[in-house]
């Protein structure tokens, strides 16, 4: 199986009373909380951590896109991925991803991803999320009633831009371009593998099946909460006659490993409570812009609520924002609910193997830095995982082929960037 | 409750419900944010003296289709077709909030299609120094207090009626909010201000004294830009949807203006 190292790049110095004094970590989080000189240190630490994970042997390092967000400092994951391409060799670069409807024209995504693919010698995984309501509709002002239509059209345009050999005109409903002809072109043919991070909507599952894309469920709530969604995904694959190849799926999981469970609880309590307490503090005003959740998904949500005889104030479909309202914030509860898998190497192997097999997920995206975790602890967690957990999980799903993994140029044809010695350069 | 005659008209985007009630000279009514999930008291008052015609705008309760409307021009033509087919050509129009933005556009683009106009706190403008509230960034529990001086009026409008489908009803209400978003996201600014000078129909601007969505200063701004005669009247004790809070006062002013 594939073990991938994921960074959200959270701002690590939100104040202790953040929940009490500030309405939201996202959209209108106050600029006074951001210290660019501290962010200089954070960005460099985070990139060190990603490079370290690559050096420890993780199959991929993963970055993602958020806007106006105190727990996600990557408005442009492409900038980070490009820097990582120069400081890693064989590790896949998973950009999960670019929210297609936010780019005008969307060919910008085709170009930048092609650049990363060229610079890295074909190591890119191209992720295309719709994007959360907070990112897309509020921070970026996109119309929620047209977001999905724009996303799907932008996808078609990007794929054509990667694959058509001649300059063409794109006459879309939302995008018109007379001359589409991107330079550079991606190394991978026909194009980098496309992965789709999504919530639990049946339309997304069907589309992934139709397009033969990887579906990624990036939940912050762990394997217990993710079980029903992944069950729904595999049921839908079965209904559509698709095989159970676990590499059709990706799943996000927080991990804290230490020599003993007691030590792990002690080490990761602070970062976990910081993440679930402060980072997921989103004002519910920004959770459900009308039209973001399709009517079919609203209907399914309401029907299941009626079946459960649930509350009198129905929620019209669940979004990233609505799920954040009901989150556990204390370590014992966080661990009980399975948000974070915490324990000794043996315990983590046991639980994570169960997650992989029960959810039937071949791509595990692991958050080994979370909340306000510093670089030392992040690297300890990463190294211990790589040395004691990874070797015992790698063999899972050996019977299946991962058809969705990057196909880089042959090792001997790829360049090795020279080591960086600024003093030596100056002396030349 | 009043049982209006319910007709339906076909336009390209949608099949739209049209309510008709009362006798006399025709008067059109376009609802505000949230639309008309049910008949409401202001319509009784207006139809007591006039033949009241109430078309549902695409996407609002009574008119499902609207997702083919991508541009402002698409919307304007859809509303124009709807009013024509509902028999509202050259008649008086009373319109509120998002409906009032469309009514103003009709009067600007097709001056002969509107005789006299009553606009209740129209959408369509945005002043950075005095911005409207964001009607799409509000918790469901706080909607009533945003749209009405008395939140109970909004709750009554939106409550699930006995016997209604409890799954479809909230989806219909959400669709109304989406339709408004499709036409007015993110700021409500359709650049209507540029076209106000084309409006020659005599226009009454009604504004709730407690409007928490549209700043009251917009009334002066609109009046100053209109190409015809106008008057501003503030409705005490009313919020953004003044017709919900003070149906008698709104109807009385509207009937007097269009007499």
């Amino acid at each position: 199986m594939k073990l991938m190292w994921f960074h959200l790049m959270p701002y690590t110095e939100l104040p202790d009373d953040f929940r009490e004094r500030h309405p939201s970590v996202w959209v209108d989080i106050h600029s006074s909380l951001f210290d660019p000189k501290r962010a200089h240190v954070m960005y460099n630490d985070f990139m060190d951590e990603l490079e370290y994970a690559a050096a420890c042997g993780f199959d991929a390092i993963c970055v993602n896109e958020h806007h106006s967000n105190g727990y996600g400092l990557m408005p442009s994951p492409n900038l980070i991925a490009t820097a990582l391409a120069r400081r890693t060799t064989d590790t896949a670069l998973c950009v999960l991803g670019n929210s297609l409807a936010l780019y005008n024209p969307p060919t910008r995504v085709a170009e930048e991803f092609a650049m990363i693919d060229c610079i890295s010698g074909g190591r890119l995984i191209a992720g295309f999320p719709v994007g959360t309501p907070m990112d897309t509709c509020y921070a970026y002002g996109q119309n929620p009633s047209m977001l999905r239509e724009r996303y799907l059209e932008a996808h078609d345009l990007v794929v054509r831009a990667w694959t058509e050999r001649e300059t063409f005109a794109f006459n879309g409903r939302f995008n018109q371009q007379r001359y589409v002809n991107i330079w550079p072109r991606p190394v991978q043919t026909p194009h980098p593998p496309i992965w789709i991070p999504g919530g639990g909507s049946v339309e997304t599952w069907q589309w992934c099946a139709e397009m033969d894309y990887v579906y990624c469920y990036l939940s912050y709530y762990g394997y217990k909460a993710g079980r029903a969604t992944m069950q729904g995904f595999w049921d839908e694959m079965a209904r559509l006659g698709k095989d159970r190849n676990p590499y059709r799926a990706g799943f996000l999981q927080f991990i804290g490993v230490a020599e003993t469970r007691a030590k792990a609880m002690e080490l990761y309590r602070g970062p976990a409570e910081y993440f679930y307490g402060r980072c997921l503090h989103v004002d519910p005003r920004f959770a459900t812009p009308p039209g973001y959740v399709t009517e079919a998904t609203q209907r399914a949500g309401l029907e299941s609520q009626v079946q459960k005889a649930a509350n009198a104030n129905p929620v019209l479909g669940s979004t990233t924002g609505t799920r954040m309202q009901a989150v556990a914030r204390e370590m014992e509860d966080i661990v009980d609910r399975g948000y974070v898998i915490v324990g000794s190497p043996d315990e983590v192997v046991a639980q994570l193997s169960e997650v992989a097999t029960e959810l039937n997920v071949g791509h595990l995206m692991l958050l080994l830095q979370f909340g306000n975790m510093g670089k030392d602890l992040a690297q300890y967690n990463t190294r211990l995982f790589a040395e004691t957990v990874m070797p015992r999980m790698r063999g899972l799903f050996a019977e299946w082929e991962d058809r969705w993994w990057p196909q880089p140029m042959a090792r001997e044809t790829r360049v090795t960037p020279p080591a960086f010695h600024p003093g030596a350069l100056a002396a030349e | 409750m009043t049982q209006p005659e319910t007709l339906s008209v076909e336009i390209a985007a949608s099949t739209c419900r049209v309510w008709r009630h009362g006798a006399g000279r025709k008067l059109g009514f376009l609802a505000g944010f949230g639309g008309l999930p049910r008949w409401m008291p202001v319509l009784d008052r207006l139809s007591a003296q006039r033949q009241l015609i109430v078309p549902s705008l695409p996407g609002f309760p009574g008119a499902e289709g609207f997702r083919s409307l991508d541009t402002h021009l698409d919307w304007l033509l859809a509303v124009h077709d709807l009013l024509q087919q509902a028999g509202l050509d050259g008649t008086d129009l009373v319109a509120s909030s998002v409906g009032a933005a469309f009514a103003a556009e009709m009067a600007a683009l097709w001056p002969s299609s509107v005789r006299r106009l009553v606009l209740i706190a129209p959408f369509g403008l945005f002043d950075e120094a005095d911005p409207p509230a964001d009607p799409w960034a509000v918790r469901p529990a706080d909607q009533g207090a945003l749209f009405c001086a008395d939140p109970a009026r909004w709750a009554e409008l939106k409550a699930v009626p006995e016997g209604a489908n409890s799954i479809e009803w909230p989806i219909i209400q959400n669709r109304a909010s989406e339709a408004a978003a499709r036409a007015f996201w993110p700021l409500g600014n359709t650049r209507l201000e540029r076209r106000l000078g084309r409006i020659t129909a005599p226009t009454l601007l009604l504004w709730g004294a407690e409007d928490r969505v549209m700043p009251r200063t917009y009334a002066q701004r609109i009046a100053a830009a209109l190409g015809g005669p106008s008057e501003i009247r503030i409705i005490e004790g009313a919020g953004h949807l003044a017709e919900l809070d003070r149906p008698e006062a709104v109807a009385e002013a509207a009937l007097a203006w269009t007499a």
Side-chain angles (χ1 to χ4, degrees):
Chain A
M1 73 172 310
K2 299 296 198 306
L3 295 155
M4 309 167 68
W5 201 99
F6 198 118
H7 216 316
L8 291 171
M9 298 202 172
Y11 194 81
T12 55
E13 296 176 9
L14 297 174
D16 292 345
D17 59 357
F18 180 71
R19 282 190 74 81
E20 291 74 44
R21 302 219 17 225
H22 297 273
S24 190
V25 77
W26 216 331
V27 183
D28 59 355
I29 182 172
H30 202 267
S31 64
S32 61
L33 298 176
F34 188 87
D35 180 346
K37 291 177 178 152
R38 295 299 303 151
H40 164 73
V41 177
M42 290 175 205
Y43 274 121
N44 281 281
D45 279 354
F46 295 157
M47 292 168 81
D48 287 349
E49 291 159 17
L50 282 154
E51 290 167 13
Y52 186 82
C56 285
F58 281 81
D59 294 296
I61 42 182
C62 314
V63 289
N64 73 343
E65 172 181 336
H66 283 306
H67 301 277
S68 312
N69 182 333
Y71 79 72
L73 297 184
M74 280 183 284
S76 172
N78 302 358
L79 294 178
I80 304 291
T82 309
L84 295 172
R86 291 274 295 173
R87 301 281 292 247
T88 57
T89 51
D90 298 313
T91 315
L93 302 171
C94 181
V95 182
L96 217 57
N98 286 184
S99 300
L100 287 168
L102 304 186
Y103 295 80
N104 182 16
T107 41
R108 180 82 186 187
V109 173
E111 292 172 333
E112 291 191 4
F113 274 178
M115 285 176 72
I116 299 171
D117 210 40
C118 287
I119 294 167
S120 68
R123 290 186 281 139
L124 177 71
I125 293 167
F128 293 146
V130 170
T132 70
M134 289 72 81
D135 290 313
T136 57
C137 301
Y138 294 105
Y140 260 45
Q142 285 295 311
N143 193 316
S145 182
M146 299 189 215
L147 184 68
R148 272 160 219 281
E149 291 155 338
R150 283 183 179 275
Y151 165 84
L152 290 169
E153 180 177 301
H155 160 272
D156 295 347
L157 172 52
V158 168
V159 171
R160 279 188 67 189
W162 276 339
T163 52
E164 291 212 8
R165 298 169 70 94
E166 303 299 329
T167 301
F168 65 94
F170 188 82
N171 182 29
R173 184 171 167 188
F174 305 103
N175 301 279
Q176 286 105 38
Q177 274 172 270
R178 173 70 75 172
Y179 305 102
V180 180
N181 176 31
I182 61 158
W183 274 64
R185 301 271 171 155
V187 163
Q188 299 181 76
T189 53
H191 54 70
I194 293 175
W195 294 21
I196 309 295
S201 89
V202 73
E203 294 104 320
T204 304
W205 298 337
Q206 290 166 349
W207 190 63
C208 286
E210 179 195 336
M211 305 304 291
D212 200 28
Y213 293 160
V214 171
Y215 167 71
C216 306
Y217 187 49
L218 305 187
S219 149
Y220 300 141
Y221 312 109
Y223 61 103
K224 290 183 184 173
R227 203 175 275 148
T229 299
M230 293 313 299
Q231 183 63 47
F233 170 75
W234 288 115
D235 287 350
E236 188 61 22
M237 292 305 108
R239 203 184 63 77
L240 296 169
K242 301 291 177 186
D243 63 27
R244 278 180 61 82
N245 188 330
Y247 294 112
R248 288 185 183 282
F251 188 76
L252 184 82
Q253 181 64 55
F254 287 60
I255 303 280
V257 60
E259 281 76 15
T260 64
R261 181 179 174 78
K263 187 174 176 198
M265 287 293 282
E266 183 192 325
L267 286 175
Y268 301 111
R269 175 183 298 275
E273 291 185 349
Y274 179 98
F275 183 80
Y276 290 97
R278 291 178 226 181
C279 295
L280 299 192
H281 176 53
V282 175
D283 194 324
R285 295 197 300 133
F286 303 128
T288 44
Y292 180 87
V293 179
T294 65
E295 289 189 4
T297 303
Q298 289 177 38
R299 203 164 277 122
L302 287 165
E303 279 164 358
S304 77
Q305 284 191 20
V306 169
Q307 281 161 13
K308 289 181 211 150
N311 61 56
N313 191 9
V315 175
L316 295 169
S318 139
T319 66
T320 307
T322 57
R323 286 188 290 270
M324 287 175 181
Q325 306 309 316
V327 71
R329 300 189 196 103
E330 303 215 341
M331 187 61 171
E332 284 69 20
D333 210 6
I334 287 167
V335 172
D336 280 352
R337 296 205 205 179
Y339 297 176
V340 183
I341 291 178
V342 165
S344 67
D346 285 349
E347 288 168 328
V348 171
V349 168
Q351 281 194 58
L352 202 52
S353 303
E354 191 189 327
V355 173
T357 48
E358 198 187 324
L359 272 51
N360 195 41
V361 170
H363 302 115
L364 277 179
M365 296 160 198
L366 305 163
L367 276 169
L368 290 128
Q369 190 285 345
F370 46 84
N372 59 356
M373 193 188 296
K375 185 161 77 174
D376 288 348
L377 184 53
Q379 293 188 340
Y380 165 83
N381 198 15
T382 300
R383 186 184 187 102
L384 195 58
F385 185 96
E387 290 179 352
T388 62
V389 179
M390 194 147 62
R392 294 157 69 187
M393 300 214 41
R394 271 267 163 74
L396 271 177
F397 306 128
E399 67 279 24
W400 292 99
E401 181 197 357
D402 189 349
R403 296 189 285 108
W404 298 271
W405 199 251
Q407 300 295 319
M409 294 159 57
R411 186 76 187 79
E412 62 278 11
T413 62
R414 276 184 273 147
V415 300
T416 305
F420 181 55
H421 299 298
L425 280 176
E428 275 177 13
Chain B
M1 195 194 87
T2 305
Q3 290 295 328
E5 186 185 357
T6 301
L7 315 167
S8 78
V9 303
E10 298 281 335
I11 58 170
S14 182
T15 302
C16 301
R17 179 191 72 195
V18 178
W19 279 334
R20 198 160 65 183
H21 194 251
R25 230 161 19 92
K26 287 179 184 175
L27 175 67
F29 182 87
L30 296 180
F33 200 97
L36 285 172
R38 51 163 48 84
W39 186 260
M40 60 185 190
V42 74
L43 304 178
D44 274 329
R45 306 276 167 167
L46 293 170
S47 60
Q49 295 189 27
R50 303 283 290 270
Q51 183 194 153
L52 184 68
I53 296 175
V54 188
S56 284
L57 297 174
F60 290 80
E64 275 195 25
F66 70 104
R67 293 195 179 88
S68 61
L69 304 175
D70 293 340
T71 65
H72 196 50
L73 181 60
D74 290 342
W75 276 98
L76 297 184
L77 293 172
V79 175
H80 179 251
D81 291 352
L82 173 60
L83 296 189
Q84 294 286 312
Q85 295 212 39
L88 292 167
D89 187 9
T91 56
D92 301 323
L93 269 186
V94 178
S96 169
S97 171
V98 292
F102 286 124
E105 297 276 19
M106 296 302 110
L109 296 177
W110 294 281
S112 66
S113 73
V114 181
R115 184 178 162 267
R116 290 175 78 88
L117 194 55
V118 179
L119 302 176
I120 308 166
F123 271 52
L125 278 66
F126 187 91
D127 177 0
E128 221 173 283
D130 193 7
D134 183 348
W136 300 285
V138 56
R139 304 169 198 205
D142 298 336
Q143 276 187 335
L146 180 66
F147 293 120
C148 291
D150 178 1
R153 298 284 88 80
W154 174 262
E156 286 162 13
L157 180 74
K158 293 291 181 177
V160 188
E162 209 169 311
N165 183 320
S166 63
I167 289 171
E168 291 308 311
W169 182 268
I171 291 174
I172 290 167
Q173 311 318 314
N174 200 48
R175 187 184 301 141
S177 184
E178 181 188 345
R182 195 168 180 100
F184 294 98
W185 189 276
L187 303 180
N189 182 6
T190 53
R191 297 183 159 196
L192 170 62
E193 199 161 3
R194 294 177 161 204
R195 296 179 287 278
L196 289 173
R198 295 172 177 271
I199 299 179
T200 51
T203 301
L204 174 65
L205 288 156
L206 294 181
W207 228 276
E210 296 171 42
D211 190 334
R212 288 183 273 268
V213 178
M214 284 291 154
R216 219 204 289 179
T217 54
Y218 287 27
Q220 284 79 26
R221 206 184 172 97
I222 293 169
L226 286 168
S230 67
E231 220 178 281
I232 297 170
R233 193 151 331 148
I234 304 302
I235 307 287
E236 295 301 327
H240 177 62
L241 300 173
E243 67 279 15
L244 275 179
D245 279 313
R246 296 287 315 280
E248 310 84 358
V250 168
E252 193 186 325
L255 289 169
W257 186 257
T258 57

